[in-house]
Amino acid sequence: MSRAEALYWRDSRLYVLDQTRLPAQTVYVTCNSYQEAADVIRTMKVRGAPAIGAVAAFGLVLAAREIGENRETLLARLREAAGELLDTRPTAVNLRWALERLLNRAAATPGGAAELRRVLLAEAEAILQEDVAANRRLGAYGQELVPDPARILTHCNAGALATVGYGTALGVIRAAREAGKRVRVYAGETRPFLQGARLTTWELMGEGIEVELLADSAAGYLMARKEVDLVIVGADRVAANGDVANKIGTYSLAVLARAHGLPFYVAAPLSTIDPRAASGRDIPIEERDPAELTHFCGRPVAPEGVRVWNPAFDVTPHTLITALITDAGVFRPPFAESLRRVLKGGREG
Ligand code: MRU
């Protein structure tokens, strides 16, 4: 198992690992209100699509505690809190998925406020359990695609830290290792927030999985030297046609993988698929604080006043993706039909 859980719920409080302090310190932040839950998402103390969805779900559980016994007042408060939680980060669809799941469950539950509070907590706890189970299933499907031995390039952190546990892209790598395969991981540093350098290396080293850190800009040369067998990344939102929004730099890796004839896999649970986004053009892309680029560890590294473009994600067109690895199986192109089928409840072989 991983060294630290991204989040957990205990004694009516939400605990969130502050990932901005990793790898130096393992510190948990306590959330007692939905505003505090929104804050840990906004400030990226918790990050990764499934993990922020789970924190948002418990945010609603916390919001429900603020209201007395009136059912309608409670439902109105929940909608207000959901709006605020949704505004924290726009790209990862798991956030909307989790909030809508809880809101729908509450609206469909007869009874007073106490009963709604009970079902909200049960639903949020179900999301925790289901996420780990989905990642394990996804890992089992995905590891079949991993040769033995394998040199795997990944980007950002799509591991236990980005989910409730086990991870998506790193879940596939874990599963391959558990199947006895000899895996070696290359982790791109993932400028500018350094999720690869700070988190992926820490997570994999903690489990004794061989990992080597490289600058994002070294990926092409690594491929040209034939030192990588496949690329695997996670996703923040998968559109209905199979286009994938993921951490900025993912698209560049997909282009490089195509140029070098390497498989490019995306691992994501069904909760990351957005049937309302027809293609990548419908996915909102978060733009973050220019200071992430103009400063490094709080110190300026660019001329004061320089204009900055800092998209946190990019869109990889489905044409560059070899396969989507999900908890319902592995999908190959064309993706639109299999995604439609699976969202209606089918399974892929
Ligand atoms: O900005 P972040 O760190 O939240 O971005 C995370 C990613 O891009 C991950 O690859 C994605 O959320 C998948 S996590 C299983």
Side-chain angles (χ1 to χ4, degrees), residues 44 47-50 52 89 92 155-159 162-163 167-169 193 195 233-236 246-247 267 286 312-313:
M44 289 180 68
R47 28 67 50 198
I52 64 179
R89 297 200 71 194
H155 190 56
C156 194
N157 171 269
T163 60
T168 57
F193 212 70
Q195 291 93 330
V233 297
D236 284 82
N246 190 51
K247 181 51 54 192
E286 176 182 9
F313 302 95

Side-chain angles (χ1 to χ4, degrees), residues 46-245:
V46 65
R47 28 67 50 198
I52 64 179
V55 167
F58 282 101
L60 284 192
V61 172
L62 292 167
R65 284 204 314 219
E66 296 170 8
I67 300 295
E69 287 317 301
N70 186 294
R71 174 190 167 86
E72 292 315 314
T73 319
L74 177 65
L75 286 173
R77 182 64 170 155
L78 285 178
R79 283 191 293 272
E80 192 182 302
E84 270 183 58
L85 286 158
L86 190 60
D87 280 348
T88 52
R89 297 200 71 194
T91 303
V93 77
N94 301 62
L95 187 55
R96 186 186 81 201
W97 170 87
L99 291 168
E100 287 183 351
R101 183 169 157 171
L102 263 72
L103 287 180
N104 291 340
R105 184 72 209 280
T109 302
E115 179 59 9
L116 297 198
R117 278 194 281 273
R118 197 189 62 73
V119 297
L120 284 168
L121 178 58
E123 200 67 24
E125 284 178 331
I127 286 177
L128 289 191
Q129 280 163 20
E130 288 169 24
D131 186 59
V132 179
N135 293 339
R136 286 194 173 271
R137 273 200 303 280
L138 172 165
Y141 287 123
Q143 76 82 16
E144 302 278 343
L145 303 172
V146 177
D148 180 22
R151 298 159 305 172
I152 304 172
L153 175 62
T154 190
H155 190 56
C156 194
N157 171 269
L161 291 170
T163 60
V164 181
Y166 204 68
T168 57
L170 297 193
V172 171
I173 292 168
R174 278 196 169 87
R177 232 277 284 255
E178 284 163 17
K181 294 180 183 173
R182 289 156 294 169
V183 291
R184 176 160 173 215
V185 179
Y186 290 106
E189 61 176 345
T190 317
R191 291 278 303 145
F193 212 70
L194 302 175
Q195 291 93 330
R198 295 187 297 106
L199 308 176
T200 295
T201 50
W202 183 81
E203 185 175 328
L204 294 178
M205 287 170 81
E207 282 178 53
I209 294 178
E210 203 180 327
V211 58
E212 201 163 334
L213 176 65
L214 72 167
D216 297 325
S217 44
Y221 186 45
L222 183 78
M223 292 183 193
R225 287 171 47 140
K226 301 194 186 317
E227 290 183 34
V228 56
D229 301 303
L230 61 102
V231 182
I232 184 162
V233 297
D236 284 82
R237 196 183 296 223
V238 180
N241 70 345
D243 290 352
V244 165

